[in-house]
Amino acid sequence: MAQIEIRFPDGNTQTFESGTTPLEIAKGISNSLAKRSVAAKFNDVVISLVQPLQEDGVLQLLSFKDDEGKDVFWHSSAHLMAQAIKRVFPEAQLGIGPPIADGFYYDIDLDRAITPEDFETLEQEMAKIVEENHPTVRKVLSAKEALDFFKKNHEMLKVDLIEELAQNGETITVYEQGEFADLCRGPHVPSTGYLGKNFKLLSVAGAYWHGDEKNKMLQRIYATNYPDKKLLKQHLKRIEEAKKRDHRKLGRELDLFSIQDEIGSGLILWHPKGALMRHLIESYWKDEHLKNGYDLVSTPHVAKHHLWETSGHTGFYQENMFRPMTVDDVDYQLKPMNCPFHMMIYKSQIRSYRDLPIRFAELGTVYRYERSGVLHGLMRVRGFTQDDAHIYCHPDQLTDEIIGVLDLNSRMLAKFGFTEYDVYLSTRPDKFVGSQESWEHATEALRKALELKNMNYQVDPGEGVFYGPKIDIKIKDVLGRSWQCSTIQVDFNLPERFDLNFVDVDGQRHRPITIHRALLGSLERFFGILIEHYAGNFPFWLAPVQAIVLPIADRHFDYAAEVKQQLMQAGLRVNSDLRNEKVGFKIREAEVAKIPFMIIIGDKEVETQTLSIRHKGEGDLGVMKLKQLLEHIQAIQDKE
RNA sequence: GCUCACGUAGCUCAGCAGGUAGAGCACAUCCUUGGUAAGGAUGAGGUCACCGGUUCAAGCCCGGUCGUGAGCUCCA
């Protein structure tokens, strides 16, 4: 028997007989390791635990904790669900069933609508299949064999896939488990028993075959599975928690904003408390920009349609624009972008290299046509305000400018409680404007800035926009969800189209580099993210009402009014509750409204000229003088 | 836009072989002046999203419109 040499991640090597499987090796190391493992990685290829190893190489055992292990576990779980579906609904045709971020789904074609009531039946069937512990068997088929097999089983979607695969000359493999066989590249867990019973079907929704709306709509069943009951519970709890934090729900409960049929889809009404928060965010934003060398500009909501022809938006952005309106026989266009206006301000005079960099910032409200089906609360709307800015600079200044933007960005995000993010650098796509050299120069500048800032980033090759490379930053909220807010894009297109230039030392006109950037993205969307991130428990500086005075009986009203007045003089946002209600009731309402400080005033307080302080979520803080309260609050503000 | 589901009082929801609406909260008035998360009584409030159809009769059935929700490749 031939021997093979296997190296492990810790650097140790060991010799095995050729044909040994990763599972056998795992068992040799420890039973618990073998139990934990769901797949293996051999020479950087993910393989099944039962695939015999025939050559020397590096072997890593994968458990559910590894991303690749998760994928295998969930992919096998998708097969498990598919098998159950076929048992319960033999006429169902299977589409695709991949692992996704938090589980997996399977697309099926079935005349009858699957409902949540069916979930239990399917889950029971899945549990049965797990108990039956069918080994998963990989088989290589020729295209013809595969086509015959799936045609015979009336799996026309699979036939569709096979035809595609055959055209690309790929090897066609099928995985069998018991009576069930599915077209699949694999690998999978060795048997259905590995999958355990901590799975749950979550939802069902329509999805087009191949994601193309010209194709048939299938039913997509989302589900998840965990090797451990605790993990499943955690996951379900996270879903619950996300529901509780839903900004649409909190937005109504806290009276922050509304969206109304009479107004129109995707158009936001900011109520007093929401508008106040928006004002706080905007003021902070403007201050920061002024402190960092930006000039504030302000531009109209409409402009002649012609402007958008110059910018090129009528070409590549038409689909997202509202239809033009005619005024005095001239077409005007509601703005989907702020850029052309900023370009025109730049162009309003001759610029010298001495003027650069020029930074125009604007909280500019834009209107974009979004398909009705994609609108979602504050997250996806038709009218929103971008925290926009355009920086015009000399090519030599590019890196420094990007660094400036990155610095400002991380400061600003931290102010709102976001300190973790994923950074992506997108490079030149196939279709692009500008010269190859300028793309290279700009991409290098972005890269250099990221590296000088010691930021970890991932390169998305070819994912840049046609007009320039970009850096995208996705922030992570407390629930670990990612939101893309900040984007920093170099633009080679608009300076060209608007013929922007500056006079350089040589007395000649040159094209400035233009950076287009947004940090919060859209105020509406960012507000939505903030609501969910804080679950409505906003930091003190953002709380629309920071304190409420709660007198116990009406004989305390005078002192209450006095206290309120003093707190307002100190710059706090204070309300009072003078209703004819018990203090317990008033406290409850203040807690529900998530007001940070409750100031209770009764006989004792009036007599000793003190305040009883209660903090939201913390309870009674005891009695203190007004001065002490202000100091306490000052300390909180200093920390923020 | 498409598929499925949903649309009943300001909010959350009940309602039924099709027989012309109900609760809690919120709101108003009154009683209660109460010490750290819901005091009590009374009352007002609905063209059951909108339009059309079937029927003696429609919140409920059918069709359309509008709106909302879950989703619409993370490629076997």
Side-chain angles (χ1 to χ4, degrees):
Chain A
M1 241 327 172
Q3 302 283 303
I4 52 171
E5 198 175 79
I6 301 297
R7 194 145 51 89
F8 296 106
D10 61 6
N12 284 334
T13 58
Q14 217 176 319
T15 311
F16 295 93
E17 278 186 12
S18 174
T20 304
T21 67
L23 184 60
E24 286 159 354
I25 294 174
K27 276 183 183 155
I29 298 169
S30 85
N31 261 329
S32 70
L33 179 66
K35 247 181 136 180
R36 265 205 318 274
S37 302
V38 294
K41 199 169 175 180
F42 187 61
N43 292 335
D44 273 334
V45 180
V46 181
I47 60 167
S48 160
L49 285 177
V50 293
Q51 180 171 327
L53 304 178
Q54 312 282 10
E55 55 184 3
D56 296 350
V58 184
L59 180 74
Q60 184 195 350
L61 291 158
L62 297 173
S63 79
F64 185 78
K65 286 203 182 102
D66 303 293
D67 285 344
E68 287 135 323
K70 269 196 185 74
D71 277 358
V72 170
F73 188 79
W74 281 333
H75 195 174
S76 297
S77 302
H79 276 222
L80 170 66
M81 183 168 78
Q83 185 171 9
I85 291 169
K86 289 294 281 186
R87 283 189 184 179
V88 178
F89 307 107
E91 70 280 21
Q93 291 193 42
L94 301 175
I96 61 169
I100 52 175
D102 288 308
F104 56 94
Y105 66 77
Y106 219 111
D107 284 348
I108 62 164
D109 187 6
L110 180 64
D111 285 341
R112 174 188 180 288
I114 300 272
T115 65
E117 287 77 63
D118 297 319
F119 289 177
E120 207 175 312
T121 319
L122 290 169
E123 282 166 0
Q124 279 166 10
E125 199 55 48
M126 286 166 73
K128 230 191 260 172
I129 297 166
V130 168
E131 256 163 42
E132 289 159 9
N133 197 16
H134 299 290
T136 51
V137 183
R138 177 176 186 266
K139 286 190 175 162
V140 179
L141 298 185
S142 71
K144 187 169 177 317
E145 286 169 325
L147 284 173
D148 287 348
F149 177 78
F150 285 103
K151 272 184 190 160
K152 196 182 81 206
N153 288 346
H154 302 290
E155 291 283 7
M156 298 322 284
L157 299 172
K158 296 292 181 189
V159 169
D160 192 29
L161 291 171
I162 295 164
E163 278 166 353
E164 215 174 293
L165 291 174
Q167 257 180 21
N168 300 336
E170 288 180 52
T171 318
I172 293 167
T173 53
V174 166
Y175 275 78
E176 280 182 8
Q177 50 194 57
E179 83 288 356
F180 175 75
D182 195 3
L183 174 72
C184 186
R185 181 168 44 207
H188 283 282
V189 297
S191 71
T192 56
Y194 270 72
L195 297 170
K197 293 182 187 171
N198 299 306
F199 44 72
K200 187 150 182 62
L201 273 55
L202 297 171
S203 63
V204 56
Y208 298 101
W209 178 231
H210 284 293
D212 187 337
E213 56 191 75
K214 289 190 208 79
N215 291 337
K216 183 163 189 190
M217 173 82 61
L218 309 177
Q219 300 189 60
R220 172 167 300 177
I221 304 176
Y222 286 89
T224 194
N225 188 13
Y226 286 88
D228 180 348
K229 192 163 198 162
K230 232 167 68 194
L231 290 173
L232 173 69
K233 273 197 175 157
Q234 269 174 23
H235 181 244
L236 295 177
K237 216 172 152 195
R238 236 188 348 263
I239 295 176
E240 274 306 299
E241 185 59 31
K243 241 189 233 167
K244 261 194 256 164
R245 289 167 179 256
D246 192 316
H247 70 282
R248 294 166 299 183
K249 183 170 170 296
L250 287 172
R252 186 173 45 241
E253 286 171 4
L254 301 177
D255 195 17
L256 300 173
F257 69 92
S258 66
I259 303 169
Q260 301 179 21
D261 294 1
E262 287 79 358
I263 310 292
S265 298
L267 301 169
I268 309 301
L269 297 179
W270 295 71
H271 295 199
K273 286 183 185 139
L276 176 72
M277 291 182 67
R278 174 174 172 147
H279 163 74
L280 295 167
I281 296 168
E282 287 184 347
S283 308
Y284 168 71
W285 187 92
K286 285 180 185 168
D287 283 353
E288 279 297 312
H289 280 74
L290 289 172
K291 279 190 215 157
N292 283 277
Y294 285 80
D295 296 316
L296 297 180
V297 298
S298 188
T299 65
H301 289 219
V302 288
K304 282 184 185 167
H305 192 255
H306 180 75
L307 179 72
W308 307 99
E309 276 158 24
T310 305
S311 69
H313 286 101
T314 51
F316 70 87
Y317 210 69
Q318 182 89 52
E319 292 213 332
N320 287 295
M321 287 158 66
F322 276 73
R323 296 286 81 82
M325 59 190 118
T326 309
V327 179
D328 292 342
D329 291 332
V330 178
D331 279 352
Y332 281 76
Q333 174 66 49
L334 212 42
K335 70 169 165 182
M337 304 262 183
N338 303 304
C339 338
F341 297 95
H342 294 192
M343 303 290 150
M344 294 307 288
I345 295 175
Y346 179 94
K347 247 182 102 125
S348 65
Q349 54 182 273
I350 292 179
R351 307 286 179 175
S352 152
Y353 71 97
R354 295 172 193 275
D355 301 327
L356 302 185
I358 289 172
R359 310 184 188 94
F360 292 147
E362 173 177 20
L363 292 164
T365 304
V366 297
Y367 298 88
R368 297 181 182 175
Y369 173 74
E370 299 280 1
R371 303 159 103 207
S372 61
V374 305
L375 299 172
H376 180 88
L378 295 175
M379 302 301 188
R380 194 84 178 263
V381 295
R382 284 182 174 159
F384 60 96
T385 303
Q386 287 183 308
D387 69 314
D388 214 350
H390 292 87
I391 300 172
Y392 304 90
C393 66
H394 192 277
D396 296 346
Q397 298 168 320
L398 189 51
T399 303
D400 282 345
E401 284 306 305
I402 306 279
I403 287 175
V405 174
L406 289 173
D407 280 341
L408 176 60
N409 194 40
S410 44
R411 243 196 334 277
M412 183 128 23
L413 292 176
K415 177 80 176 172
F416 294 101
F418 299 107
T419 47
E420 266 188 72
Y421 22 80
D422 293 321
V423 183
Y424 301 86
L425 172 63
S426 300
T427 60
R428 183 163 55 78
D430 294 338
K431 264 181 77 182
F432 65 98
V433 300
S435 72
Q436 207 140 325
E437 297 82 67
S438 33
W439 271 83
E440 260 155 48
H441 171 255
T443 310
E444 268 323 296
L446 294 176
R447 191 190 297 274
K448 202 169 154 200
L450 286 171
E451 264 149 32
L452 284 169
K453 290 316 295 175
N454 269 326
M455 292 176 83
N456 287 324
Y457 64 95
Q458 220 175 297
V459 178
D460 270 347
E463 286 300 304
V465 206
F466 74 89
Y467 51 75
K470 61 170 180 171
I471 293 171
D472 286 329
I473 295 175
K474 287 191 184 176
I475 56 177
K476 283 209 180 134
D477 71 11
V478 276
L479 294 187
R481 297 174 301 180
S482 289
W483 304 96
Q484 206 218 295
C485 293
S486 323
T487 182
I488 306 170
Q489 313 180 342
V490 177
D491 189 337
F492 298 123
N493 186 40
L494 289 179
E496 198 71 39
R497 284 182 160 270
F498 282 92
D499 190 26
L500 302 190
N501 51 53
F502 66 93
V503 181
D504 209 344
V505 262
D506 58 8
Q508 300 297 308
R509 295 191 172 205
H510 295 272
R511 195 77 77 215
I513 298 238
T514 301
I515 304 166
H516 171 117
R517 45 113 285 191
L519 307 184
L520 309 179
S522 123
L523 289 184
E524 284 72 7
R525 188 176 132 88
F526 191 74
F527 188 44
I529 295 167
L530 272 184
I531 294 171
E532 302 205 356
H533 180 60
Y534 287 117
N537 292 300
F538 302 110
F540 191 77
W541 76 279
L542 271 176
V545 179
Q546 294 172 311
I548 185 161
V549 182
L550 309 177
I552 288 171
D554 30 14
R555 64 178 172 279
H556 310 126
F557 281 11
D558 286 348
Y559 181 51
E562 194 186 309
V563 169
K564 182 182 172 191
Q565 191 56 35
Q566 283 174 317
L567 290 171
M568 281 168 68
Q569 292 288 311
L572 296 180
R573 298 185 287 274
V574 194
N575 273 355
S576 55
D577 187 345
L578 306 183
R579 292 177 304 172
N580 177 14
E581 295 290 352
K582 293 200 171 183
V583 72
F585 182 81
K586 293 181 182 180
I587 285 171
R588 181 186 149 75
E589 295 230 319
E591 287 276 354
V592 169
K594 301 181 192 294
I595 298 169
F597 286 98
M598 285 155 271
I599 299 161
I600 293 124
I601 285 171
D603 290 337
K604 274 185 285 176
E605 289 76 15
V606 174
E607 202 176 306
T608 56
Q609 293 289 293
T610 53
L611 310 169
S612 246
I613 307 301
R614 180 188 164 100
H615 192 274
K616 164 194 67 167
E618 292 170 23
D620 199 345
L621 297 190
V623 177
M624 54 181 90
K625 292 271 183 195
L626 186 102
K627 189 162 161 275
Q628 283 173 283
L629 174 64
L630 291 176
E631 281 166 9
H632 182 64
I633 286 172
Q634 190 59 49
I636 291 173
Q637 283 174 319
D638 289 347
K639 254 194 270 173
E640 283 177 352

